[in-house]
Amino acid sequence: MTTDRHTRATWLALAGDVACVLAFTALGRRNHAEGVTLAGVAQTAWPFLVGTLVGWMLSRAWRRPIAVAPTGITVWICTVAVGMLLRKATGAGIAWSFILVASLVTGVLILGWRTVGHVVSRKGGA
């Protein structure tokens, strides 16, 4: 992959992960009748976005930004784990049912787009 293509893929992958977290938080707020406002989504999303960035740093995601493993799995686990720890530290709720739903939904989203991207890139390269 050329440097320009790789840089573009890296930024698109980061944007994809951020979009997944924002979609998760917006849907959660909507389902709990909390209102889907910019401020509300930002307030709910920030701990998970920090977790996403931690996952990017730990996995060095810029090296293989669309890889399901290890990049996607590391980003997903950090998104949930760091997000929940920050929510707990700031007095926000972290019920077991929320941890389960957050894990499942973010997993489907963060790993899902990478899986689709992998399949599409394999077909395009064949």
Side-chain angles (χ1 to χ4, degrees):
M1 185 181 297
T2 66
T3 303
D4 288 343
R5 282 184 65 200
H6 183 77
T7 300
R8 182 172 171 251
T10 300
W11 284 110
L12 286 173
L14 179 58
D17 288 338
V18 168
C20 289
V21 171
L22 293 176
F24 158 69
T25 55
L27 286 170
R29 289 185 63 83
R30 189 181 124 240
N31 287 339
H32 292 284
E34 293 177 331
V36 184
T37 64
L38 183 59
V41 171
Q43 180 182 12
T44 304
W46 79 264
F48 298 103
L49 291 171
V50 170
T52 300
L53 294 177
V54 169
W56 265 73
M57 300 311 271
L58 285 177
S59 69
R60 297 180 181 166
W62 54 90
R63 292 182 174 182
R64 295 182 56 214
I66 65 168
V68 174
T71 305
I73 292 171
T74 303
V75 170
W76 167 48
I77 290 169
C78 287
T79 297
V80 176
V82 173
M84 292 300 171
L85 288 171
L86 288 172
R87 283 180 61 87
K88 177 76 172 170
T90 59
I94 58 162
W96 285 109
S97 58
F98 178 55
I99 295 170
L100 177 64
V101 169
S103 298
L104 292 173
V105 173
T106 58
V108 166
L109 294 172
I110 290 171
L111 300 177
W113 79 256
R114 283 182 168 84
T115 301
V116 170
H118 179 72
V119 169
V120 168
S121 69
R122 300 265 302 167
K123 287 186 178 190

mmCIF file of all heavy atoms in Angstrom, residues 7-59:
data_model
loop_
_atom_site.group_PDB
_atom_site.id
_atom_site.type_symbol
_atom_site.label_atom_id
_atom_site.label_comp_id
_atom_site.label_asym_id
_atom_site.label_seq_id
_atom_site.Cartn_x
_atom_site.Cartn_y
_atom_site.Cartn_z
ATOM 1 N N THR A 7 -2.105 6.273 4.610
ATOM 2 C CA THR A 7 -2.496 7.396 5.466
ATOM 3 C C THR A 7 -3.993 7.629 5.364
ATOM 4 O O THR A 7 -4.666 7.815 6.386
ATOM 5 C CB THR A 7 -1.721 8.673 5.071
ATOM 6 O OG1 THR A 7 -0.331 8.415 5.231
ATOM 7 C CG2 THR A 7 -2.141 9.858 5.917
ATOM 8 N N ARG A 8 -4.517 7.596 4.159
ATOM 9 C CA ARG A 8 -5.963 7.776 3.958
ATOM 10 C C ARG A 8 -6.739 6.665 4.649
ATOM 11 O O ARG A 8 -7.726 6.912 5.342
ATOM 12 C CB ARG A 8 -6.281 7.807 2.468
ATOM 13 C CG ARG A 8 -7.737 8.045 2.175
ATOM 14 C CD ARG A 8 -7.953 8.262 0.669
ATOM 15 N NE ARG A 8 -9.353 8.278 0.383
ATOM 16 C CZ ARG A 8 -10.010 7.310 -0.260
ATOM 17 N NH1 ARG A 8 -9.355 6.256 -0.718
ATOM 18 N NH2 ARG A 8 -11.300 7.394 -0.454
ATOM 19 N N ALA A 9 -6.289 5.423 4.490
ATOM 20 C CA ALA A 9 -6.963 4.285 5.128
ATOM 21 C C ALA A 9 -6.927 4.409 6.647
ATOM 22 O O ALA A 9 -7.899 4.084 7.327
ATOM 23 C CB ALA A 9 -6.315 2.971 4.684
ATOM 24 N N THR A 10 -5.809 4.903 7.169
ATOM 25 C CA THR A 10 -5.688 5.076 8.616
ATOM 26 C C THR A 10 -6.690 6.092 9.134
ATOM 27 O O THR A 10 -7.403 5.837 10.115
ATOM 28 C CB THR A 10 -4.248 5.498 8.984
ATOM 29 O OG1 THR A 10 -3.354 4.475 8.535
ATOM 30 C CG2 THR A 10 -4.103 5.709 10.480
ATOM 31 N N TRP A 11 -6.766 7.243 8.487
ATOM 32 C CA TRP A 11 -7.717 8.276 8.912
ATOM 33 C C TRP A 11 -9.161 7.810 8.748
ATOM 34 O O TRP A 11 -10.012 8.083 9.604
ATOM 35 C CB TRP A 11 -7.479 9.590 8.167
ATOM 36 C CG TRP A 11 -6.282 10.315 8.691
ATOM 37 C CD1 TRP A 11 -5.092 10.486 8.063
ATOM 38 C CD2 TRP A 11 -6.157 10.944 9.976
ATOM 39 N NE1 TRP A 11 -4.218 11.185 8.878
ATOM 40 C CE2 TRP A 11 -4.850 11.476 10.057
ATOM 41 C CE3 TRP A 11 -7.007 11.107 11.061
ATOM 42 C CZ2 TRP A 11 -4.383 12.162 11.174
ATOM 43 C CZ3 TRP A 11 -6.540 11.787 12.176
ATOM 44 C CH2 TRP A 11 -5.249 12.304 12.222
ATOM 45 N N LEU A 12 -9.443 7.084 7.669
ATOM 46 C CA LEU A 12 -10.801 6.560 7.474
ATOM 47 C C LEU A 12 -11.143 5.521 8.544
ATOM 48 O O LEU A 12 -12.275 5.469 9.027
ATOM 49 C CB LEU A 12 -10.952 5.967 6.080
ATOM 50 C CG LEU A 12 -11.043 6.974 4.935
ATOM 51 C CD1 LEU A 12 -11.006 6.249 3.586
ATOM 52 C CD2 LEU A 12 -12.301 7.827 5.059
ATOM 53 N N ALA A 13 -10.179 4.703 8.909
ATOM 54 C CA ALA A 13 -10.411 3.701 9.959
ATOM 55 C C ALA A 13 -10.686 4.362 11.299
ATOM 56 O O ALA A 13 -11.601 3.960 12.022
ATOM 57 C CB ALA A 13 -9.213 2.758 10.055
ATOM 58 N N LEU A 14 -9.901 5.387 11.627
ATOM 59 C CA LEU A 14 -10.146 6.110 12.875
ATOM 60 C C LEU A 14 -11.526 6.758 12.846
ATOM 61 O O LEU A 14 -12.286 6.666 13.821
ATOM 62 C CB LEU A 14 -9.061 7.161 13.110
ATOM 63 C CG LEU A 14 -9.220 8.006 14.378
ATOM 64 C CD1 LEU A 14 -9.262 7.134 15.627
ATOM 65 C CD2 LEU A 14 -8.094 9.031 14.468
ATOM 66 N N ALA A 15 -11.869 7.360 11.728
ATOM 67 C CA ALA A 15 -13.197 7.965 11.587
ATOM 68 C C ALA A 15 -14.291 6.901 11.700
ATOM 69 O O ALA A 15 -15.350 7.147 12.310
ATOM 70 C CB ALA A 15 -13.308 8.699 10.248
ATOM 71 N N GLY A 16 -14.035 5.716 11.161
ATOM 72 C CA GLY A 16 -14.998 4.623 11.276
ATOM 73 C C GLY A 16 -15.226 4.215 12.718
ATOM 74 O O GLY A 16 -16.369 4.008 13.145
ATOM 75 N N ASP A 17 -14.152 4.110 13.481
ATOM 76 C CA ASP A 17 -14.284 3.742 14.895
ATOM 77 C C ASP A 17 -15.013 4.828 15.685
ATOM 78 O O ASP A 17 -15.878 4.534 16.512
ATOM 79 C CB ASP A 17 -12.913 3.467 15.506
ATOM 80 C CG ASP A 17 -12.309 2.157 15.019
ATOM 81 O OD1 ASP A 17 -13.064 1.275 14.566
ATOM 82 O OD2 ASP A 17 -11.078 2.020 15.109
ATOM 83 N N VAL A 18 -14.671 6.079 15.424
ATOM 84 C CA VAL A 18 -15.353 7.194 16.096
ATOM 85 C C VAL A 18 -16.840 7.177 15.734
ATOM 86 O O VAL A 18 -17.702 7.337 16.606
ATOM 87 C CB VAL A 18 -14.695 8.542 15.740
ATOM 88 C CG1 VAL A 18 -15.559 9.717 16.189
ATOM 89 C CG2 VAL A 18 -13.304 8.629 16.366
ATOM 90 N N ALA A 19 -17.156 6.947 14.463
ATOM 91 C CA ALA A 19 -18.560 6.884 14.024
ATOM 92 C C ALA A 19 -19.296 5.750 14.727
ATOM 93 O O ALA A 19 -20.468 5.905 15.115
ATOM 94 C CB ALA A 19 -18.631 6.722 12.509
ATOM 95 N N CYS A 20 -18.629 4.624 14.927
ATOM 96 C CA CYS A 20 -19.252 3.497 15.633
ATOM 97 C C CYS A 20 -19.597 3.877 17.068
ATOM 98 O O CYS A 20 -20.698 3.576 17.547
ATOM 99 C CB CYS A 20 -18.315 2.288 15.633
ATOM 100 S SG CYS A 20 -18.138 1.494 14.027
ATOM 101 N N VAL A 21 -18.672 4.531 17.754
ATOM 102 C CA VAL A 21 -18.920 4.944 19.136
ATOM 103 C C VAL A 21 -20.046 5.972 19.194
ATOM 104 O O VAL A 21 -20.935 5.892 20.047
ATOM 105 C CB VAL A 21 -17.635 5.484 19.795
ATOM 106 C CG1 VAL A 21 -17.930 6.113 21.147
ATOM 107 C CG2 VAL A 21 -16.600 4.374 19.938
ATOM 108 N N LEU A 22 -20.033 6.917 18.274
ATOM 109 C CA LEU A 22 -21.092 7.932 18.250
ATOM 110 C C LEU A 22 -22.446 7.309 17.931
ATOM 111 O O LEU A 22 -23.465 7.686 18.532
ATOM 112 C CB LEU A 22 -20.746 9.040 17.252
ATOM 113 C CG LEU A 22 -19.534 9.897 17.628
ATOM 114 C CD1 LEU A 22 -19.228 10.887 16.507
ATOM 115 C CD2 LEU A 22 -19.740 10.603 18.956
ATOM 116 N N ALA A 23 -22.479 6.355 17.021
ATOM 117 C CA ALA A 23 -23.735 5.667 16.696
ATOM 118 C C ALA A 23 -24.243 4.893 17.914
ATOM 119 O O ALA A 23 -25.440 4.956 18.249
ATOM 120 C CB ALA A 23 -23.533 4.727 15.512
ATOM 121 N N PHE A 24 -23.349 4.178 18.584
ATOM 122 C CA PHE A 24 -23.714 3.435 19.792
ATOM 123 C C PHE A 24 -24.309 4.356 20.849
ATOM 124 O O PHE A 24 -25.361 4.068 21.428
ATOM 125 C CB PHE A 24 -22.482 2.699 20.333
ATOM 126 C CG PHE A 24 -22.574 2.336 21.783
ATOM 127 C CD1 PHE A 24 -23.469 1.376 22.219
ATOM 128 C CD2 PHE A 24 -21.760 2.958 22.716
ATOM 129 C CE1 PHE A 24 -23.559 1.050 23.560
ATOM 130 C CE2 PHE A 24 -21.834 2.635 24.057
ATOM 131 C CZ PHE A 24 -22.736 1.677 24.486
ATOM 132 N N THR A 25 -23.652 5.476 21.101
ATOM 133 C CA THR A 25 -24.138 6.378 22.150
ATOM 134 C C THR A 25 -25.428 7.075 21.735
ATOM 135 O O THR A 25 -26.330 7.241 22.556
ATOM 136 C CB THR A 25 -23.068 7.395 22.558
ATOM 137 O OG1 THR A 25 -22.607 8.101 21.419
ATOM 138 C CG2 THR A 25 -21.892 6.710 23.224
ATOM 139 N N ALA A 26 -25.538 7.473 20.482
ATOM 140 C CA ALA A 26 -26.776 8.121 20.024
ATOM 141 C C ALA A 26 -27.956 7.158 20.099
ATOM 142 O O ALA A 26 -29.041 7.532 20.560
ATOM 143 C CB ALA A 26 -26.600 8.652 18.602
ATOM 144 N N LEU A 27 -27.748 5.919 19.670
ATOM 145 C CA LEU A 27 -28.829 4.923 19.746
ATOM 146 C C LEU A 27 -29.209 4.635 21.197
ATOM 147 O O LEU A 27 -30.393 4.512 21.515
ATOM 148 C CB LEU A 27 -28.401 3.628 19.054
ATOM 149 C CG LEU A 27 -28.366 3.670 17.537
ATOM 150 C CD1 LEU A 27 -27.687 2.416 16.980
ATOM 151 C CD2 LEU A 27 -29.768 3.818 16.977
ATOM 152 N N GLY A 28 -28.205 4.547 22.052
ATOM 153 C CA GLY A 28 -28.484 4.313 23.470
ATOM 154 C C GLY A 28 -29.282 5.446 24.085
ATOM 155 O O GLY A 28 -30.242 5.223 24.825
ATOM 156 N N ARG A 29 -28.897 6.666 23.771
ATOM 157 C CA ARG A 29 -29.630 7.824 24.310
ATOM 158 C C ARG A 29 -31.057 7.840 23.779
ATOM 159 O O ARG A 29 -31.998 8.137 24.508
ATOM 160 C CB ARG A 29 -28.901 9.122 23.980
ATOM 161 C CG ARG A 29 -27.594 9.270 24.782
ATOM 162 C CD ARG A 29 -26.938 10.603 24.543
ATOM 163 N NE ARG A 29 -27.785 11.698 24.996
ATOM 164 C CZ ARG A 29 -27.860 12.126 26.256
ATOM 165 N NH1 ARG A 29 -27.143 11.563 27.201
ATOM 166 N NH2 ARG A 29 -28.648 13.131 26.570
ATOM 167 N N ARG A 30 -31.212 7.516 22.506
ATOM 168 C CA ARG A 30 -32.553 7.499 21.915
ATOM 169 C C ARG A 30 -33.418 6.423 22.572
ATOM 170 O O ARG A 30 -34.573 6.655 22.919
ATOM 171 C CB ARG A 30 -32.476 7.264 20.407
ATOM 172 C CG ARG A 30 -33.825 7.450 19.738
ATOM 173 C CD ARG A 30 -33.768 7.184 18.248
ATOM 174 N NE ARG A 30 -34.755 6.153 17.995
ATOM 175 C CZ ARG A 30 -34.515 4.964 17.492
ATOM 176 N NH1 ARG A 30 -33.308 4.626 17.126
ATOM 177 N NH2 ARG A 30 -35.464 4.097 17.322
ATOM 178 N N ASN A 31 -32.852 5.245 22.753
ATOM 179 C CA ASN A 31 -33.606 4.137 23.345
ATOM 180 C C ASN A 31 -33.962 4.375 24.803
ATOM 181 O O ASN A 31 -34.895 3.770 25.318
ATOM 182 C CB ASN A 31 -32.828 2.830 23.205
ATOM 183 C CG ASN A 31 -32.829 2.319 21.786
ATOM 184 O OD1 ASN A 31 -33.680 2.684 20.978
ATOM 185 N ND2 ASN A 31 -31.859 1.493 21.461
ATOM 186 N N HIS A 32 -33.233 5.252 25.468
ATOM 187 C CA HIS A 32 -33.511 5.559 26.868
ATOM 188 C C HIS A 32 -34.166 6.936 27.024
ATOM 189 O O HIS A 32 -34.190 7.487 28.127
ATOM 190 C CB HIS A 32 -32.231 5.474 27.702
ATOM 191 C CG HIS A 32 -31.715 4.073 27.809
ATOM 192 N ND1 HIS A 32 -32.273 3.122 28.636
ATOM 193 C CD2 HIS A 32 -30.703 3.448 27.162
ATOM 194 C CE1 HIS A 32 -31.629 1.990 28.497
ATOM 195 N NE2 HIS A 32 -30.665 2.151 27.606
ATOM 196 N N ALA A 33 -34.650 7.475 25.930
ATOM 197 C CA ALA A 33 -35.362 8.754 25.915
ATOM 198 C C ALA A 33 -34.554 9.865 26.588
ATOM 199 O O ALA A 33 -35.103 10.704 27.304
ATOM 200 C CB ALA A 33 -36.747 8.610 26.554
ATOM 201 N N GLU A 34 -33.252 9.874 26.349
ATOM 202 C CA GLU A 34 -32.400 10.905 26.931
ATOM 203 C C GLU A 34 -32.165 12.069 25.979
ATOM 204 O O GLU A 34 -31.523 13.034 26.336
ATOM 205 C CB GLU A 34 -31.054 10.295 27.348
ATOM 206 C CG GLU A 34 -31.193 9.314 28.485
ATOM 207 C CD GLU A 34 -29.867 8.669 28.842
ATOM 208 O OE1 GLU A 34 -28.993 8.526 27.963
ATOM 209 O OE2 GLU A 34 -29.708 8.302 30.004
ATOM 210 N N GLY A 35 -32.635 11.959 24.777
ATOM 211 C CA GLY A 35 -32.462 13.025 23.803
ATOM 212 C C GLY A 35 -31.149 12.887 23.045
ATOM 213 O O GLY A 35 -30.102 12.652 23.633
ATOM 214 N N VAL A 36 -31.240 13.005 21.743
ATOM 215 C CA VAL A 36 -30.068 12.872 20.891
ATOM 216 C C VAL A 36 -29.631 14.268 20.468
ATOM 217 O O VAL A 36 -29.888 14.713 19.355
ATOM 218 C CB VAL A 36 -30.352 11.962 19.675
ATOM 219 C CG1 VAL A 36 -29.082 11.763 18.853
ATOM 220 C CG2 VAL A 36 -30.901 10.621 20.137
ATOM 221 N N THR A 37 -28.996 14.963 21.402
ATOM 222 C CA THR A 37 -28.443 16.285 21.121
ATOM 223 C C THR A 37 -26.930 16.153 21.014
ATOM 224 O O THR A 37 -26.343 15.180 21.509
ATOM 225 C CB THR A 37 -28.779 17.278 22.248
ATOM 226 O OG1 THR A 37 -28.140 16.825 23.447
ATOM 227 C CG2 THR A 37 -30.284 17.387 22.462
ATOM 228 N N LEU A 38 -26.308 17.122 20.384
ATOM 229 C CA LEU A 38 -24.854 17.099 20.257
ATOM 230 C C LEU A 38 -24.189 17.044 21.628
ATOM 231 O O LEU A 38 -23.294 16.236 21.878
ATOM 232 C CB LEU A 38 -24.366 18.314 19.459
ATOM 233 C CG LEU A 38 -22.873 18.388 19.183
ATOM 234 C CD1 LEU A 38 -22.398 17.169 18.396
ATOM 235 C CD2 LEU A 38 -22.544 19.661 18.424
ATOM 236 N N ALA A 39 -24.650 17.890 22.546
ATOM 237 C CA ALA A 39 -24.077 17.922 23.897
ATOM 238 C C ALA A 39 -24.326 16.600 24.632
ATOM 239 O O ALA A 39 -23.427 16.089 25.309
ATOM 240 C CB ALA A 39 -24.653 19.090 24.693
ATOM 241 N N GLY A 40 -25.504 16.052 24.508
ATOM 242 C CA GLY A 40 -25.833 14.798 25.183
ATOM 243 C C GLY A 40 -25.020 13.626 24.665
ATOM 244 O O GLY A 40 -24.501 12.819 25.442
ATOM 245 N N VAL A 41 -24.913 13.529 23.341
ATOM 246 C CA VAL A 41 -24.117 12.450 22.753
ATOM 247 C C VAL A 41 -22.652 12.610 23.145
ATOM 248 O O VAL A 41 -21.984 11.641 23.508
ATOM 249 C CB VAL A 41 -24.299 12.399 21.214
ATOM 250 C CG1 VAL A 41 -23.310 11.431 20.575
ATOM 251 C CG2 VAL A 41 -25.732 11.992 20.857
ATOM 252 N N ALA A 42 -22.140 13.838 23.109
ATOM 253 C CA ALA A 42 -20.743 14.080 23.490
ATOM 254 C C ALA A 42 -20.501 13.678 24.943
ATOM 255 O O ALA A 42 -19.486 13.053 25.266
ATOM 256 C CB ALA A 42 -20.380 15.542 23.272
ATOM 257 N N GLN A 43 -21.441 14.020 25.821
ATOM 258 C CA GLN A 43 -21.307 13.689 27.241
ATOM 259 C C GLN A 43 -21.280 12.174 27.451
ATOM 260 O O GLN A 43 -20.525 11.671 28.280
ATOM 261 C CB GLN A 43 -22.457 14.304 28.039
ATOM 262 C CG GLN A 43 -22.389 14.001 29.518
ATOM 263 C CD GLN A 43 -23.574 14.579 30.277
ATOM 264 O OE1 GLN A 43 -24.556 15.020 29.686
ATOM 265 N NE2 GLN A 43 -23.480 14.576 31.590
ATOM 266 N N THR A 44 -22.103 11.457 26.708
ATOM 267 C CA THR A 44 -22.155 10.000 26.845
ATOM 268 C C THR A 44 -20.976 9.337 26.133
ATOM 269 O O THR A 44 -20.443 8.337 26.615
ATOM 270 C CB THR A 44 -23.484 9.462 26.269
ATOM 271 O OG1 THR A 44 -24.570 10.110 26.927
ATOM 272 C CG2 THR A 44 -23.595 7.962 26.448
ATOM 273 N N ALA A 45 -20.548 9.901 25.019
ATOM 274 C CA ALA A 45 -19.534 9.255 24.178
ATOM 275 C C ALA A 45 -18.105 9.436 24.661
ATOM 276 O O ALA A 45 -17.258 8.569 24.412
ATOM 277 C CB ALA A 45 -19.652 9.774 22.746
ATOM 278 N N TRP A 46 -17.791 10.546 25.339
ATOM 279 C CA TRP A 46 -16.386 10.848 25.595
ATOM 280 C C TRP A 46 -15.617 9.732 26.296
ATOM 281 O O TRP A 46 -14.472 9.467 25.923
ATOM 282 C CB TRP A 46 -16.210 12.202 26.302
ATOM 283 C CG TRP A 46 -16.471 12.210 27.773
ATOM 284 C CD1 TRP A 46 -17.613 12.558 28.406
ATOM 285 C CD2 TRP A 46 -15.545 11.827 28.805
ATOM 286 N NE1 TRP A 46 -17.479 12.425 29.756
ATOM 287 C CE2 TRP A 46 -16.207 11.976 30.035
ATOM 288 C CE3 TRP A 46 -14.225 11.369 28.814
ATOM 289 C CZ2 TRP A 46 -15.611 11.682 31.251
ATOM 290 C CZ3 TRP A 46 -13.627 11.074 30.039
ATOM 291 C CH2 TRP A 46 -14.323 11.234 31.237
ATOM 292 N N PRO A 47 -16.178 9.032 27.292
ATOM 293 C CA PRO A 47 -15.366 7.980 27.911
ATOM 294 C C PRO A 47 -15.023 6.854 26.931
ATOM 295 O O PRO A 47 -13.924 6.305 26.963
ATOM 296 C CB PRO A 47 -16.249 7.449 29.049
ATOM 297 C CG PRO A 47 -17.308 8.478 29.263
ATOM 298 C CD PRO A 47 -17.481 9.174 27.957
ATOM 299 N N PHE A 48 -15.971 6.542 26.063
ATOM 300 C CA PHE A 48 -15.750 5.481 25.088
ATOM 301 C C PHE A 48 -14.792 5.932 23.985
ATOM 302 O O PHE A 48 -13.984 5.141 23.498
ATOM 303 C CB PHE A 48 -17.091 5.017 24.505
ATOM 304 C CG PHE A 48 -17.991 4.442 25.553
ATOM 305 C CD1 PHE A 48 -19.048 5.181 26.065
ATOM 306 C CD2 PHE A 48 -17.780 3.171 26.064
ATOM 307 C CE1 PHE A 48 -19.872 4.670 27.049
ATOM 308 C CE2 PHE A 48 -18.590 2.646 27.053
ATOM 309 C CZ PHE A 48 -19.645 3.393 27.549
ATOM 310 N N LEU A 49 -14.865 7.198 23.619
ATOM 311 C CA LEU A 49 -13.925 7.723 22.622
ATOM 312 C C LEU A 49 -12.499 7.726 23.169
ATOM 313 O O LEU A 49 -11.548 7.413 22.434
ATOM 314 C CB LEU A 49 -14.339 9.126 22.180
ATOM 315 C CG LEU A 49 -15.619 9.188 21.348
ATOM 316 C CD1 LEU A 49 -16.063 10.629 21.149
ATOM 317 C CD2 LEU A 49 -15.437 8.474 20.018
ATOM 318 N N VAL A 50 -12.338 8.042 24.450
ATOM 319 C CA VAL A 50 -11.014 7.943 25.073
ATOM 320 C C VAL A 50 -10.533 6.498 25.002
ATOM 321 O O VAL A 50 -9.378 6.222 24.656
ATOM 322 C CB VAL A 50 -11.031 8.463 26.531
ATOM 323 C CG1 VAL A 50 -9.720 8.140 27.242
ATOM 324 C CG2 VAL A 50 -11.308 9.962 26.559
ATOM 325 N N GLY A 51 -11.435 5.564 25.307
ATOM 326 C CA GLY A 51 -11.088 4.145 25.215
ATOM 327 C C GLY A 51 -10.695 3.733 23.811
ATOM 328 O O GLY A 51 -9.754 2.956 23.612
ATOM 329 N N THR A 52 -11.390 4.269 22.827
ATOM 330 C CA THR A 52 -11.057 3.984 21.432
ATOM 331 C C THR A 52 -9.647 4.468 21.117
ATOM 332 O O THR A 52 -8.853 3.745 20.497
ATOM 333 C CB THR A 52 -12.082 4.662 20.494
ATOM 334 O OG1 THR A 52 -13.388 4.143 20.786
ATOM 335 C CG2 THR A 52 -11.757 4.402 19.039
ATOM 336 N N LEU A 53 -9.318 5.675 21.555
ATOM 337 C CA LEU A 53 -7.973 6.208 21.312
ATOM 338 C C LEU A 53 -6.906 5.398 22.047
ATOM 339 O O LEU A 53 -5.823 5.160 21.499
ATOM 340 C CB LEU A 53 -7.912 7.678 21.692
ATOM 341 C CG LEU A 53 -8.762 8.608 20.820
ATOM 342 C CD1 LEU A 53 -8.681 10.036 21.327
ATOM 343 C CD2 LEU A 53 -8.337 8.520 19.366
ATOM 344 N N VAL A 54 -7.208 4.954 23.254
ATOM 345 C CA VAL A 54 -6.272 4.090 23.983
ATOM 346 C C VAL A 54 -6.051 2.803 23.184
ATOM 347 O O VAL A 54 -4.917 2.333 23.026
ATOM 348 C CB VAL A 54 -6.777 3.780 25.410
ATOM 349 C CG1 VAL A 54 -5.959 2.669 26.063
ATOM 350 C CG2 VAL A 54 -6.749 5.039 26.265
ATOM 351 N N GLY A 55 -7.123 2.239 22.673
ATOM 352 C CA GLY A 55 -7.017 1.028 21.851
ATOM 353 C C GLY A 55 -6.178 1.247 20.603
ATOM 354 O O GLY A 55 -5.389 0.385 20.208
ATOM 355 N N TRP A 56 -6.344 2.408 19.999
ATOM 356 C CA TRP A 56 -5.528 2.740 18.832
ATOM 357 C C TRP A 56 -4.054 2.801 19.193
ATOM 358 O O TRP A 56 -3.193 2.313 18.455
ATOM 359 C CB TRP A 56 -6.002 4.065 18.215
ATOM 360 C CG TRP A 56 -6.975 3.840 17.102
ATOM 361 C CD1 TRP A 56 -8.274 3.442 17.216
ATOM 362 C CD2 TRP A 56 -6.708 3.973 15.715
ATOM 363 N NE1 TRP A 56 -8.843 3.325 15.978
ATOM 364 C CE2 TRP A 56 -7.895 3.650 15.037
ATOM 365 C CE3 TRP A 56 -5.586 4.349 14.978
ATOM 366 C CZ2 TRP A 56 -7.992 3.679 13.649
ATOM 367 C CZ3 TRP A 56 -5.686 4.384 13.593
ATOM 368 C CH2 TRP A 56 -6.879 4.040 12.945
ATOM 369 N N MET A 57 -3.753 3.408 20.334
ATOM 370 C CA MET A 57 -2.355 3.540 20.741
ATOM 371 C C MET A 57 -1.765 2.169 21.115
ATOM 372 O O MET A 57 -0.659 1.835 20.689
ATOM 373 C CB MET A 57 -2.226 4.515 21.915
ATOM 374 C CG MET A 57 -2.723 5.924 21.612
ATOM 375 S SD MET A 57 -2.099 6.597 20.084
ATOM 376 C CE MET A 57 -0.618 7.348 20.648
ATOM 377 N N LEU A 58 -2.482 1.398 21.904
ATOM 378 C CA LEU A 58 -1.970 0.094 22.329
ATOM 379 C C LEU A 58 -1.763 -0.861 21.155
ATOM 380 O O LEU A 58 -0.794 -1.624 21.132
ATOM 381 C CB LEU A 58 -2.920 -0.552 23.350
ATOM 382 C CG LEU A 58 -2.901 0.020 24.751
ATOM 383 C CD1 LEU A 58 -3.943 -0.668 25.617
ATOM 384 C CD2 LEU A 58 -1.521 -0.121 25.376
ATOM 385 N N SER A 59 -2.677 -0.832 20.202
ATOM 386 C CA SER A 59 -2.587 -1.752 19.063
ATOM 387 C C SER A 59 -1.727 -1.212 17.932
ATOM 388 O O SER A 59 -1.457 -1.933 16.976
ATOM 389 C CB SER A 59 -3.982 -2.054 18.517
ATOM 390 O OG SER A 59 -4.533 -0.900 17.901
#
